[in-house]
Amino acid sequence: MRYCISALITILLIFNVSAIYGQETADLENQVAKYEKEGNLLELARCQAKLGYLYKEKNNIQKSIEFFQKAVKSNESLGNMNAVKNLCVNIGLMYTELDNYDQALTFFKRSLKLSEKQGKKPDVLADLINIAQVQQNLKNYTESNQTLERALTIAQELTDMTSLRNCYAIESENYDKLGNQGKAKEYFDMAASIKSHLQKEELKKFESRTKVAEGEVSAKEVELKSKDSKIQKMTKEQQLTLQLLDQQKMYNILQEKEFQAKERLQAARQRNTFLIILSLIIILALVTISSVFILKQLREKKKAYTLLKESNQQIIEQKSEIEKQRDIVTKQKTKITDSILYAQRIQSAVLPPLKKIEKVLPEHFVLFRPRDIVSGDFYWMTEKEGIVIIAAADCTGHGVPGAFMSMLGVAFLNDIVNRMTFNMHVRSLNANEILNQLREKVIVSLHQSGKLDENKDGMDIALCVIDFEHKQMQFAGAHNPMYIIRKGELLQVAADGMPIGVYRTSDTPFTNNEITLEKDDLIYLFSDGFYDQLGGEKGYKIFSANFRKKLLEIHQNPLPEQKRLLEEYYDNWKGKYEQVDDILVIGFKFIPQVITSAPVQTDFLWENKCILIAEDVDNNYFLLAEALKPTKVKLFRAINGKDAVEFCKNNKIDIILMDIYMPIMNGLEATRQIREFNKGIPIIAQTASSKSDDIVNCKEAGCSDYISKPINLKTFLSTIQKHLII
Amino acid sequence: MRRLIIKNVESCPTVILDKESGKFEIFGNSLPEDVHTFYTPVFDWIRDYIKQPNAKTELVIKLMYFNSASTKAIIDILTILEELVINGHDVKILWNYFEIDEDMLSTGKELASILNIPFDFIPFTDGWVRLAEER
């Protein structure tokens, strides 16, 4: 059907074109008559055909057929079979238009015969298809199919896909009408597949040539217009009309192609649009996602930036705070250091002045180097009646805590020695007793009970008491020993393995070591700070062995030089290391001498006097005798009351020192008996301080005065003095 | 119980007290500025330990230098351990001293004499510094 329709359209178009140029049917009919008369068949045929087309255009089908048939006759006469054939097709189509299928079939068949005669296969094919279509219209389906089978063969031969598809399409309809649904479907599918194949083919071509085709179309349009103008000039020429027909055909094809291309283009556009939309969606999605990310990052960055800003601010604040604190710390440090420096002045003030040391120890050195301005190490020296007491001590800790302890140590030592010499003769001092008392004082004043975790501070000390006159030395040490170098040999006087302070063995008295000195003996007292210094190649301590070795090596030098050498040795050893502790080394040469510096009791000189001591206990007697020795008084002893009475009767004495409690005869009875024959002699009773009865009894018995035990040396001497002068 | 490990810093010794492995060691130098603060965790640990001690306790003391305040701290540590000895536990102090360091040996002997704990005196020759670093 489509084929027929397209053919009709073609014709209609041609009529349209013709119609543009006027209603010349009347003129043409006149011409026909004229040419008939003239016998001009050629022109007659042309005019007849033209009239056929014109009437067709006017929708006067009958008239159209009439003139077409006349034209056929004329052309037959002319032998122009080609024209005859075309006219037959036209007539056929007209009859189809009138639904006069029998007539249509007749003319189509005639055209077919002519086409077959001419051997024009494409025309044969066209005719066959027209016939088949008409046969279908006549409901001769089987015949139509037979016609189509012929057409198909030719279409396949010519590979005319369009015709092939038309054949299949009609055949499918035929089978459908025949009730053969299977075949109908089969041919329909074939038609469809060819259609789609055709479309694909076309698409391929036109996709690549769309623009070219469009260009062609427009070019053809331009061409057509120009051709139109030509046609205007050539309206009277049928040949040109035919030419135009060809052109129109081409135009038609092109238009179809254009239509398809446009469809394709549309599809492509749609596809493109889809693609574009899809792309847009994807892009949009990507943009959205990335913007979310970017926003998030931005937000994080912003956050981080804010944080950074905040922390920067904090840092700045902290910095200024730190700077403030640093200034405070610097100020405080200056303050503390100033304070410690001042404390150091106090500490050095309590240390024995060099002049004092020099006086008793002309050849000596003191190597004293505190680790931190003030020191836990200290040295102490005193001289009493030719007796020199010297000590080198090392308090627990160093720096300020050490210095606190050292002040305590100095105060305690002064107190202890002063009390001792106040109460007894300086020669009865014992080095170990000083340490015992020092320990006692430290424990009591620091409230040490020996419990775990409590304060166990104290000190290590080396102390010696030197009697220059008698070349005697006593040494007592708490952890710290003493070295004596004598004739190139080093003697070590060991210390007790316990400190001054609470300790497991703080009930045990310190050992008193007595040494007889020789001239030029070198004596060294020290703390452990020197030989415990870390350094050398491997960071070891100096060790006491090396210290001794060093002392032996340098001992022949003058003492100040020894000090220098020791310092040099120490500094070399220490190297880059820090000083770990306070350092104290005291060295002196023993030069026997009579020290006349402090004849303390010059007031008590009783050279020509005689004194009788009535005392049964030896120790008490010796103590008194020792105390009286410097007064150069003549001493006599009675071991009980009876003895005393006897001695008084037979000897001239200036004063009697009477103990109350004695065997055989007690002091009170003896006094009474002496008073019987000597009222004037001073009798001084020794009483137990707490017993007030004794004092009363003494007075009753006739004593001149009394002294309380334990005896205070100064009170004792001044009491005697008082009675001797009288 | 949790082990106590104090790594030696500057003037403080390394302390390893590990009940599980039976490792009890104090080594290095001991001259902290504030002895009490340094040794308090050690005291606390040992006090805890003696409540449930191992069958055998060997405390290695390997010190090159210690100040007199540290000596007192060590005596306190040993005093706590002494309780174990009194209660019949096997306790021993491995007192290591650098072979020429007679002062360290005599300090150890002094402690052995005043405390009721068996001491072993172990001289070491060299490499003390390296040893301390390696640990």
Side-chain angles (χ1 to χ4, degrees), chain A residues 19-219:
Chain A
I20 299 167
Y21 309 107
Q23 308 293 323
E24 296 171 309
T25 45
D27 291 346
L28 279 169
E29 276 182 15
N30 290 338
Q31 281 177 15
V32 167
K34 183 189 155 197
Y35 290 130
E36 259 179 332
K37 280 178 185 173
E38 287 175 7
N40 188 347
L41 277 173
L42 192 68
E43 283 303 313
L44 182 68
R46 191 187 63 82
C47 289
Q48 284 166 335
K50 181 94 182 182
L51 274 168
Y53 284 119
L54 276 170
Y55 280 117
K56 172 72 188 90
E57 198 193 347
K58 286 182 167 182
N59 222 7
N60 193 339
I61 308 291
Q62 287 298 338
K63 274 273 186 189
S64 169
I65 292 169
E66 189 188 313
F67 279 99
F68 278 135
Q69 281 180 332
K70 282 177 180 172
V72 168
K73 274 179 185 165
S74 304
N75 278 308
E76 268 175 346
S77 307
L78 285 166
N80 190 355
M81 297 319 287
N82 212 19
V84 171
K85 190 189 75 179
N86 284 337
L87 287 165
C88 283
V89 172
N90 281 340
I91 294 160
L93 286 170
M94 291 303 107
Y95 278 124
T96 310
E97 195 81 1
L98 294 169
D99 290 336
N100 190 343
Y101 296 115
D102 288 319
Q103 284 298 322
L105 189 62
T106 314
F107 280 94
F108 283 138
K109 279 186 174 170
R110 202 174 157 189
S111 168
L112 174 65
K113 270 184 186 168
L114 287 167
S115 297
E116 280 169 346
K117 228 181 215 172
Q118 288 174 343
K120 286 186 179 173
K121 282 195 176 173
D123 289 354
V124 172
L125 181 59
D127 291 331
L128 282 170
I129 292 169
N130 282 336
I131 290 162
Q133 184 63 62
V134 175
Q135 283 171 332
Q136 187 188 56
N137 292 340
L138 287 168
K139 297 183 169 66
N140 295 327
Y141 299 118
T142 316
E143 278 175 34
S144 172
N145 278 348
Q146 283 164 1
T147 314
L148 285 169
E149 286 305 324
R150 256 190 83 191
L152 276 170
T153 316
I154 299 162
Q156 280 164 357
E157 227 179 277
L158 297 170
T159 57
D160 183 348
M161 299 307 280
T162 312
S163 301
L164 208 59
R165 192 206 61 182
N166 288 335
C167 293
Y168 284 135
I170 300 162
E171 206 161 359
S172 168
E173 280 170 40
N174 290 340
Y175 278 120
D176 185 48
K177 299 286 182 194
L178 287 167
N180 189 343
Q181 298 304 327
K183 282 268 183 188
K185 176 85 171 60
E186 187 187 327
Y187 281 94
F188 181 81
D189 286 346
M190 286 204 281
S193 76
I194 291 165
K195 192 183 174 187
S196 74
H197 172 76
L198 279 171
Q199 282 175 342
K200 275 179 200 166
E201 287 290 308
E202 292 296 301
L203 282 175
K204 268 180 201 168
K205 281 181 204 161
F206 285 98
E207 253 172 7
S208 60
R209 289 196 216 146
T210 307
K211 278 181 185 172
V212 180
E214 273 173 347
E216 273 174 11
V217 168
S218 53

Side-chain angles (χ1 to χ4, degrees), chain A residues 143-319:
Chain A
E143 278 175 34
S144 172
N145 278 348
Q146 283 164 1
T147 314
L148 285 169
E149 286 305 324
R150 256 190 83 191
L152 276 170
T153 316
I154 299 162
Q156 280 164 357
E157 227 179 277
L158 297 170
T159 57
D160 183 348
M161 299 307 280
T162 312
S163 301
L164 208 59
R165 192 206 61 182
N166 288 335
C167 293
Y168 284 135
I170 300 162
E171 206 161 359
S172 168
E173 280 170 40
N174 290 340
Y175 278 120
D176 185 48
K177 299 286 182 194
L178 287 167
N180 189 343
Q181 298 304 327
K183 282 268 183 188
K185 176 85 171 60
E186 187 187 327
Y187 281 94
F188 181 81
D189 286 346
M190 286 204 281
S193 76
I194 291 165
K195 192 183 174 187
S196 74
H197 172 76
L198 279 171
Q199 282 175 342
K200 275 179 200 166
E201 287 290 308
E202 292 296 301
L203 282 175
K204 268 180 201 168
K205 281 181 204 161
F206 285 98
E207 253 172 7
S208 60
R209 289 196 216 146
T210 307
K211 278 181 185 172
V212 180
E214 273 173 347
E216 273 174 11
V217 168
S218 53
K220 291 289 171 190
E221 272 171 349
V222 173
E223 208 180 324
L224 271 173
K225 273 181 187 168
S226 72
K227 292 243 162 117
D228 280 349
S229 62
K230 274 180 194 168
I231 287 163
Q232 211 176 1
K233 289 168 191 169
M234 297 191 292
T235 36
K236 289 166 189 176
E237 288 179 42
Q238 210 179 1
Q239 290 296 332
L240 278 177
T241 310
L242 288 169
Q243 216 176 357
L244 198 66
L245 192 84
D246 284 346
Q247 300 260 343
Q248 278 306 121
K249 262 185 192 166
M250 203 195 264
Y251 176 78
N252 192 32
I253 291 161
L254 281 171
Q255 222 176 21
E256 197 179 351
K257 279 180 183 175
E258 190 190 358
F259 174 74
Q260 283 174 341
K262 273 181 182 164
E263 247 185 3
R264 200 60 230 153
L265 209 64
Q266 189 78 12
R269 274 183 190 148
Q270 274 176 1
R271 211 168 47 184
N272 282 344
T273 313
F274 173 71
L275 278 172
I276 287 163
I277 290 167
L278 191 72
S279 312
L280 278 173
I281 289 167
I282 291 167
I283 289 164
L284 199 72
L286 283 172
V287 167
T288 314
I289 292 164
S290 50
S291 5
V292 166
F293 271 107
I294 290 164
L295 275 173
K296 211 175 158 189
Q297 272 185 327
L298 270 174
R299 213 174 297 149
E300 274 167 11
K301 270 186 187 166
K302 209 173 169 184
K303 218 171 155 187
Y305 177 72
T306 318
L307 278 174
L308 200 71
K309 225 175 162 183
E310 275 171 18
S311 64
N312 264 345
Q313 189 57 36
Q314 277 179 344
I315 286 165
I316 291 164
E317 279 166 18
Q318 281 171 346
K319 198 192 161 198

Side-chain angles (χ1 to χ4, degrees), chain A residues 413-424:
Chain A
L413 281 169
N414 282 327
D415 187 50
I416 290 161
V417 173
N418 282 335
R419 268 177 200 275
M420 280 179 164
T421 51
F422 189 74
N423 289 331
M424 62 175 111

